[in-house]
Amino acid sequence: QVQLVESGGGLVQAGGSLRLSCAPSGLTFSRTTTAWFREAPGKERESVAAITATTWSGSSTYYADSVKGRFTISRDNTKNTLYLQMNSLKPEDTAVYYCAATLTDGNWRGRGYKYWGQGTQVTVSS
């Protein structure tokens, strides 16, 4: 049974940084597209960033416009762990952040991931 466990959330002041981690059990991240989503109170879950499976040419990353230049998605294949480095955080980044894995429909922004974590809360104070 595949499980994804996020960690690293917390409370930070605007302009600060946090790094989220996601570790799976029963799944090798390097072989699948993995992503971060977030869900703010009263809003729909939205895509934040994604990274494709590792191939001979490496992997590709994608970002939502709202986080480009501030967030970085990465993966340590030796640790089988996904990361989201979040810099220059804004109050509007406050949300529960979810890790997702194994894209089934080619749309990294969509909800077509087979596996989801339980989420970690990120709160940015102004």
Side-chain angles (χ1 to χ4, degrees):
Q1 183 178 358
V2 174
Q3 288 187 322
L4 308 181
V5 179
E6 301 98 334
S7 61
L11 174 64
V12 63
Q13 289 187 333
S17 299
L18 281 175
R19 189 178 77 159
L20 305 183
S21 300
C22 176
S25 58
L27 182 69
T28 302
F29 269 174
S30 63
R31 298 177 181 174
T32 189
T33 294
T34 49
W36 289 97
F37 283 71
R38 66 186 182 187
E39 187 171 330
K43 296 186 178 180
E44 291 190 355
R45 191 171 299 187
E46 63 175 358
S47 57
V48 175
I51 183 167
T52 61
T54 300
T55 67
W56 63 270
S57 62
S59 57
S60 299
T61 57
Y62 303 92
Y63 295 93
D65 288 342
S66 60
V67 306
K68 278 182 182 176
R70 300 188 299 121
F71 290 10
T72 302
I73 189 171
S74 63
R75 186 175 57 222
D76 186 332
N77 293 338
T78 63
K79 296 181 179 180
N80 197 26
T81 300
L82 179 71
Y83 300 101
L84 184 68
Q85 178 66 45
M86 304 185 294
N87 299 328
S88 302
L89 282 161
K90 305 175 181 180
E92 50 263 44
D93 294 318
T94 295
V96 176
Y97 283 72
Y98 297 89
C99 170
T102 308
L103 184 61
T104 60
D105 62 6
N107 177 18
W108 75 268
R109 298 178 185 273
R111 299 288 294 273
Y113 290 84
K114 189 173 181 180
Y115 306 109
W116 293 83
Q118 293 301 305
T120 184
Q121 176 70 47
V122 172
T123 303
V124 184
S125 62
S126 57

